[in-house]
Amino acid sequence: MVRNIVVTSVIDAVVEDLKAQVLARELKPSQALTEAEVATRYDIARATAKAAIERLVSDKVLVRKNHKTARVVKLGAADVRDIYRTRAYLESEVLRRLADRREVPLEARLANAEIEALWRQGSFDIVEPDMRFHTSLIDALGSARTSNVYGSLAFEVKLCMAQLQGSQQLSPEVIVAEHARILEQIEDGDADGAAALLNEHLSRARELLAGQLGGEPGPEAFRPSSALPPAMSPAG
């Protein structure tokens, strides 16, 4: 009996390319994506296209209701607030633990240096190094389960970042300064300070993005950064 098998590497490649298209907004929120369309677009078997779509649904890139056609996820203000508050709960506790150990991962420093280099070039395209900064802090805890929980939010977080940074509402200069100050506080063992600045950092992005998606932005969106001189605006 001949058994049909699907080549995993092809699925991975298709999934990553479709994720990139969603992040670049080449595939729009709520846009339908069928197995036939994916199969035709990539010249692959329907079984492979189906597996790719199922993976994207699992990763929360696509949503499917009542067995209907999968569609690109569309985040609203309430979704963004839930995602960012979940991040804050998890990341703030991790920062406290790292501060107790005065442990600053090299990967976080390198990611922030990359953001700074892009900023000095006038680029707002900093989603990848920004995500690496935060992920490296989570991974530094050394807990596979914590990293997996954070990883389950990864695409939604990147989608939020892409929408906010693409709108150029949040200055990379502010991001770099706040990241650097968080690392300093971890190194100094200032657990409360690191957690408080992280909350400020994420709350500003959360409310700016909520406003962009049709919600009423909270006051956190307009508060000056405590990591920069008072005269500087958080929106840059």
Side-chain angles (χ1 to χ4, degrees), residues 97-199:
R97 299 301 178 96
L98 294 181
D100 287 344
R101 296 172 358 197
R102 297 176 184 259
E103 180 180 347
V104 177
L106 175 61
E107 292 83 355
R109 296 191 190 278
L110 294 175
N112 205 38
E114 185 176 338
I115 297 170
E116 182 172 16
L118 289 167
W119 157 50
R120 294 191 182 282
Q121 295 168 17
S123 174
F124 279 72
D125 187 16
I126 61 174
V127 172
E128 290 297 333
D130 195 342
M131 191 66 189
R132 287 203 307 275
F133 174 87
H134 289 275
T135 301
S136 69
L137 294 171
I138 297 293
D139 291 343
L141 187 64
S143 166
R145 288 179 176 83
T146 303
S147 292
N148 286 339
V149 169
Y150 192 78
S152 70
L153 292 171
F155 183 80
E156 290 178 309
V157 171
K158 288 173 73 172
L159 186 57
C160 289
M161 287 180 175
Q163 291 188 43
L164 182 57
Q165 293 170 9
S167 70
Q168 302 189 0
Q169 290 191 65
L170 194 61
S171 166
E173 182 177 12
V174 174
I175 294 171
V176 167
E178 291 183 342
H179 283 179
R181 182 60 184 142
I182 287 171
L183 297 184
E184 288 174 3
Q185 289 167 323
I186 292 172
E187 195 167 35
D188 291 343
D190 183 0
D192 289 342
L197 183 53
L198 173 77
N199 186 63

Side-chain angles (χ1 to χ4, degrees), residues 3-89:
R3 297 178 64 88
N4 293 324
I5 60 172
V6 177
V7 181
T8 304
S9 60
V10 173
I11 296 172
D12 290 343
V14 170
V15 165
E16 291 307 310
D17 189 61
L18 289 171
K19 283 183 176 180
Q21 291 181 56
V22 172
L23 288 173
R25 300 182 74 79
E26 294 169 11
L27 290 173
K28 305 297 185 184
S30 299
Q31 181 175 334
L33 196 63
T34 66
E35 293 173 14
E37 182 181 355
V38 171
T40 300
R41 181 180 300 192
Y42 294 99
D43 192 21
I44 57 177
R46 285 286 291 267
T48 307
K50 179 180 180 180
I53 287 177
E54 292 302 326
R55 175 92 65 81
L56 291 165
V57 171
S58 176
D59 289 348
K60 302 177 184 178
V61 181
L62 302 178
V63 293
R64 192 203 306 271
K65 296 181 179 179
N66 301 323
H67 305 289
K68 293 183 179 179
T69 300
R71 294 182 178 274
V72 176
V73 65
K74 181 179 181 180
L75 299 178
D79 299 307
V80 167
R81 287 185 168 119
D82 189 37
I83 291 165
Y84 269 74
R85 283 173 178 147
T86 301
R87 286 187 67 187
Y89 299 148

Side-chain angles (χ1 to χ4, degrees), residues 214-234:
E216 182 68 28
E220 299 93 334
F222 310 108
R223 287 177 184 156
S225 172
S226 60
L228 289 171
M232 295 189 66
S233 164

